[in-house]
Amino acid sequence: ELVGQVLQQVDELGLGDSTYVIFSSDHGEMVGEQNQVLKRTMYESSAHVPLIVRGPGVRRSATVDTPVSLIDMYPTLLDMADIKYDGSRTGYPESLDGESLLPQLTGESERTRDWAFCEYHGDRCCTGTFMLRKNNWKYLKHMGLDPQLFDLASDPWETHNVAGEMTPVVNEMDGILTDAIDCDAVDARAKQYDRDNFLSWREERRADG
């Protein structure tokens, strides 16, 4: 209802043909699913977010089933504003990690990358976790622990880990993941960061008595 009020105001101002409206979220909520609350997990209830776009040239009532990621939003906004990314500026990366969604929104072309990636190294998790989503498969790489693989088509609530039964799929998904990111190095940096900050905090508390 609130989104509708925004869209109605855009139209009443005569800006509908020149304004993009994007509705999304940074994360979901477990709200009791898998006996968990809050977020901090790779289950769909937490990791899957809404993404709805309206604007010039965007197809109406169309759905893109290929997984996308929030890192795609920055290049998408640049594309919408017709701004070409220039990685030659000091302090800027040479290229962006994400991929503009505008070609899929307008129907001009398919997505180049057919998978989405996520990682978490924060509190309430015993180790670093990486997720790769491709088609109906969701692969979870828990550093130092056994992996998980879920078929979201037949198991949307992710209750049956089929990693032990689907070794070829596990190998394929892990290959895509490890080609894109050095999971061991990232996990080691995250854990060292946590350790350094905890030790610093502990010394400060001791100094304060």
Side-chain angles (χ1 to χ4, degrees):
E1 182 178 350
L2 294 174
V3 172
Q5 292 178 21
V6 173
L7 298 179
Q8 181 177 347
Q9 187 66 42
V10 169
D11 291 339
E12 289 178 354
L13 291 171
L15 301 173
D17 294 334
S18 61
T19 303
Y20 289 100
V21 179
I22 302 173
F23 178 84
S24 189
S25 172
D26 59 336
H27 62 85
E29 289 288 337
M30 291 304 294
V31 291
E33 299 297 344
Q34 307 285 355
N35 294 317
Q36 297 187 39
V37 295
L38 304 176
K39 43 182 181 177
R40 303 181 177 90
T41 173
M42 296 299 178
Y43 286 119
E44 286 293 278
S45 297
S46 172
H48 194 160
V49 300
L51 180 56
I52 305 172
V53 183
R54 190 190 84 161
V58 175
R59 294 176 292 161
R60 297 177 63 88
S61 303
T63 300
V64 176
D65 293 323
T66 306
V68 300
S69 172
L70 291 177
I71 64 170
D72 298 318
M73 294 312 304
Y74 183 44
T76 300
L77 293 171
L78 290 176
D79 215 359
M80 288 174 171
D82 196 25
I83 297 174
K84 304 305 179 186
Y85 180 78
D86 183 3
S88 64
R89 295 178 61 182
T90 302
Y92 282 61
E94 292 183 3
S95 61
L96 299 175
D97 291 329
E99 177 183 341
S100 174
L101 305 177
L102 199 57
Q104 293 91 67
L105 294 170
T106 60
E108 294 177 7
S109 63
E110 296 293 326
R111 183 169 169 78
T112 302
R113 181 185 296 167
D114 61 353
W115 49 267
F117 158 78
C118 186
E119 64 179 297
Y120 185 66
H121 306 275
D123 63 314
R124 308 188 194 211
C125 283
C126 62
T127 190
T129 299
F130 300 85
M131 180 200 81
L132 187 79
R133 172 76 187 276
K134 180 179 180 181
N135 299 323
N136 294 321
W137 293 111
K138 176 188 275 189
Y139 172 68
L140 300 179
K141 185 182 185 75
H142 307 286
M143 303 307 294
L145 302 171
D146 293 333
Q148 290 178 296
L149 180 70
F150 298 103
D151 181 356
L152 298 181
S154 62
D155 181 26
W157 296 109
E158 301 164 275
T159 59
H160 184 45
N161 177 17
V162 297
E165 309 161 28
M166 304 295 294
T167 303
V169 177
V170 169
N171 292 339
E172 176 190 357
M173 300 289 276
D174 191 73
I176 296 173
L177 180 61
T178 53
D179 282 346
I181 186 170
D182 187 340
C183 298
D184 290 320
V186 171
D187 181 61
R189 286 201 305 270
K191 287 174 177 166
Q192 188 62 49
Y193 173 87
D194 289 343
R195 177 179 174 80
D196 292 343
N197 279 272
F198 170 74
L199 293 176
S200 175
W201 170 86
R202 186 174 66 176
E203 290 306 311
E204 290 177 1
R205 298 290 76 76
R206 284 176 170 172
D208 291 340

